[in-house]
Amino acid sequence: MLNIALDGPSGSGKSTVAKIIAKKLDILYLDTGAMYRACALEALYRGVNCLDEGAVESFINEIDLKIVYENGAQKTILRGEDVSQKIRQNEVSMMASNISSLPCVRKKMVEMQRDVARGVDCILDGRDIGTHVLPDAEFKFYVTARPEVRAERRYKELTEKGQTVEYDKILEEINVRDYNDSHREFSPLRQAADAILLDTSEMTIDEVTEFILSKVKK
Ligand code: DC
């Protein structure tokens, strides 16, 4: 079984790279961040504060969330609706970071992630894949980049999608999310002891992809 864990902070380029690798190796790709984003959207639909543990706990186990694949591409389905685009909105990002700090949410999402990954060759990207979701993954990478570089990438991505955003605000949000994601109590963002560290600040997507593929092919 080929399991690849790709962890790192937001904007490190890991999801772009994971998608390319999944395609090249013809294996399944799971973007676990999309699942936490969908939880945040569900909280928004219900008018629930993402840090209100009691309120989130009351719905999380019944969340109508499904991950499906269409022509190899992951689609996130919430309440029967394809929310793959909606969950990318910038306002959902901070909410996702908040809701992902709750143990009840992580427990449920990790269960779902392991169900998707069970018995198939796959690459998962997230924050805790190598440390918690798939601790026995054969290949683990921790992909990062300087915050300014990651903010620049996110700014470009969002403006290309037609969203109006400010670079300084994105950078500030990235710093806050980095802090939240790496300081939460329950499976924080952290490099697994056996993960290969890759700083992509000065690397192109192709270079990162080639590097990972060269390790996996060996
Ligand atoms: O990768 P992303 O930006 O789409 O993730 C959104 C949020 O979800 C991020 O702030 C942290 C959280 N997350 C997590 O805690 N664990 C994961 N495996 C993936 C994402």
Side-chain angles (χ1 to χ4, degrees):
M1 197 58 52
L2 174 65
N3 279 176
I4 307 173
L6 207 56
D7 288 303
S10 56
S12 55
K14 60 188 188 313
S15 59
T16 310
V17 169
K19 263 182 229 160
I20 299 172
I21 290 174
K23 207 165 188 180
K24 286 207 168 163
L25 298 179
D26 194 22
I27 60 176
L28 182 131
Y29 163 56
L30 178 62
D31 166 6
T32 63
M35 299 171 68
Y36 291 98
R37 287 170 178 270
C39 293
L41 193 60
E42 178 67 27
L44 189 69
Y45 285 167
R46 289 174 182 258
V48 161
N49 181 323
C50 285
L51 290 171
D52 182 342
E53 190 159 13
V56 172
E57 207 160 10
S58 69
F59 75 73
I60 198 70
N61 286 320
E62 276 75 52
I63 190 168
D64 182 9
L65 168 64
K66 289 184 189 71
I67 299 299
V68 299
Y69 291 88
E70 220 175 81
N71 302 324
Q74 174 177 334
K75 294 218 174 303
T76 308
I77 312 290
L78 184 67
R79 301 183 176 197
E81 181 200 354
D82 181 356
V83 294
S84 309
Q85 296 305 318
K86 237 184 210 175
I87 55 170
R88 295 290 140 205
Q89 286 168 19
N90 205 36
E91 54 170 325
V92 179
S93 304
M94 192 59 72
M95 293 171 58
S97 178
N98 285 339
I99 207 163
S100 73
S101 68
L102 301 180
C104 61
V105 173
R106 303 206 69 80
K107 190 168 170 279
K108 174 73 179 167
M109 291 305 112
V110 170
E111 260 170 44
M112 288 179 67
Q113 289 155 20
R114 288 182 179 150
D115 279 349
V116 174
R118 188 162 298 126
V120 294
D121 293 332
C122 57
I123 178 164
L124 268 63
D125 89 39
R127 305 289 189 285
D128 59 341
I129 310 302
T131 53
H132 187 61
V133 181
L134 302 175
D136 298 328
E138 206 176 342
F139 298 99
K140 298 181 185 179
F141 298 91
Y142 188 86
V143 184
T144 186
R146 287 193 306 278
E148 293 75 16
V149 174
R150 292 188 280 124
E152 185 70 46
R153 289 176 184 162
R154 187 66 92 194
Y155 176 81
K156 230 176 127 211
E157 184 191 328
L158 293 172
T159 46
E160 275 168 9
K161 281 186 191 156
Q163 295 189 33
T164 313
V165 286
E166 282 168 43
Y167 170 82
D168 288 346
K169 193 153 178 269
I170 301 249
L171 177 60
E172 190 192 322
E173 284 169 0
I174 281 201
N175 284 326
V176 173
R177 280 175 67 201
D178 280 2
Y179 185 87
N180 283 351
D181 295 348
S182 52
H183 285 80
R184 64 170 178 245
E185 222 179 302
F186 204 66
S187 45
L189 166 66
R190 156 169 89 69
Q191 184 185 342
D194 51 351
I196 298 174
L197 173 67
L198 198 58
D199 185 329
T200 70
S201 300
E202 315 295 338
M203 290 171 88
T204 64
I205 291 291
D206 279 352
E207 286 167 343
V208 179
T209 310
E210 280 315 310
F211 177 86
I212 293 178
L213 281 174
S214 71
K215 297 283 176 200
V216 172
K217 281 179 179 159
K218 259 189 210 163

